[in-house]
Amino acid sequence: MLDFGHLPTAGGTSDCQTFIGSNGLSQGLSSFTWVKPRGKFWANIILVGKGGNGGTGVIGAAGGGGGGGGSGAQTIIDIPLFLLPDVLYISLAGVGTATGLYSFISTLPSLTAGGASPGAGVNLTSAASGANGGNAATTTGGAGATAATAATAGSGPMTAAFARFFAGGAGSTGGAGTTTGTSPTALAMPTTGLLVMGGTGGGACPTTAGAGTAGGGYSANAPYAAVTGSAGGTTATTAPNNGNPSTSLSGKQYPTLGGLGGGGGYSGATGAGLVQASGGDGAPGCGGGGMGGAFTGSTAGRIGMGGPAFCIITCW
């Protein structure tokens, strides 16, 4: 996952400040203040929106898995410091159930919430939150979240000439509780320069007695190997595996996977097998995994929560 603990701090030849979204923040309120460091000449700004939550899976005679949440959109700016004011205000969405929140950087300490837009007065840049994954309905898997829309020059006129805008990563659709059950389609690794990824859907509990399907994984993209989804219940008394939380690929800091979906429960489960797998939580900016479908009488799991928005400003 994103290893913020190893980013450089103020001092030496560079000044790097990291901000991570606070819970309960309403759009339009600034949670952080950045002050331009002295003696520096250039800045790199990375802003990534909040990740969406995974969807719920169904508990029943057969059940679909919840959809994976989408990652936040991403904006990167390289700009000379003389073009920035001395103080910037940063609003970052935190972990929670609210959807549609934008994270942004502005020269104003508070803004009017815009709902479907970043809000009046945003003049530096913004990044949309990822959508939540869909909830499963009986045997139908929950829809995977659609990709968060990339920011535009209009949402950051002060820095548009220096900015690169990236759409977020989508989540995968949960498995369907068909006769033998289906697994979510593997998500593709990003090739756009996006640093974060959406979560994967949960596996399904089939209609015919038998093993639950695995939660969604990620397909290979050299130099990164494929990531296998969480296993479903293989016997009546074997619980499916919960989805793993976000991890980085091959020990590298970026890109970062979203939370994995939980495995599907065994159809006809008894005893220790009556457990619904939870989705894995997303790292900052990443989507959460969907819950797996489970057999009647299973103890309910939980959705994977999308990670908070974050901003990294490095000056040198």
Side-chain angles (χ1 to χ4, degrees), residues 37-275:
R38 294 182 176 181
K40 311 302 178 188
F41 303 95
W42 204 270
N44 171 267
I45 301 172
I46 300 173
L47 175 67
V48 177
K50 171 190 178 297
N53 303 329
T56 59
V58 168
I59 297 176
S71 81
Q74 172 182 298
T75 300
I76 296 180
I77 300 170
D78 293 299
I79 189 169
L81 274 177
F82 75 84
L83 292 177
L84 293 179
D86 290 340
V87 179
L88 294 176
Y89 300 95
I90 305 170
S91 176
L92 301 174
V95 175
T97 57
T99 60
L101 294 177
Y102 277 78
S103 295
F104 46 80
I105 307 173
S106 180
T107 59
L108 305 176
S110 62
L111 306 169
T112 301
S117 65
V122 171
N123 50 25
L124 203 73
T125 194
S126 67
S129 293
N132 292 342
N135 297 330
T138 59
T139 59
T140 302
T146 57
T149 303
T152 64
S155 68
M158 285 183 62
T159 58
F162 304 90
R164 290 160 283 162
F165 307 112
F166 302 82
S172 62
T173 297
T178 58
T179 302
T180 56
T182 64
S183 290
T185 302
L187 281 178
M189 304 285 185
T191 57
T192 62
L194 185 67
L195 303 177
V196 291
M197 297 183 66
T200 67
C205 175
T207 59
T208 302
T213 66
Y218 296 88
S219 58
N221 180 26
Y224 306 118
V227 176
T228 303
S230 302
T234 55
T235 70
T237 56
T238 302
N241 289 346
N242 292 328
N244 290 329
S246 287
T247 56
S248 59
L249 291 166
S250 304
K252 298 176 175 62
Q253 189 168 347
Y254 301 111
T256 298
L257 301 175
L260 291 179
Y266 190 94
S267 182
T270 60
L274 288 173
V275 176

Side-chain angles (χ1 to χ4, degrees), residues 51-54 95-97 279-283 286-289 302-307:
N53 303 329
V95 175
T97 57
D281 292 335
C286 293
R302 69 171 185 85
I303 60 174
M305 302 299 290

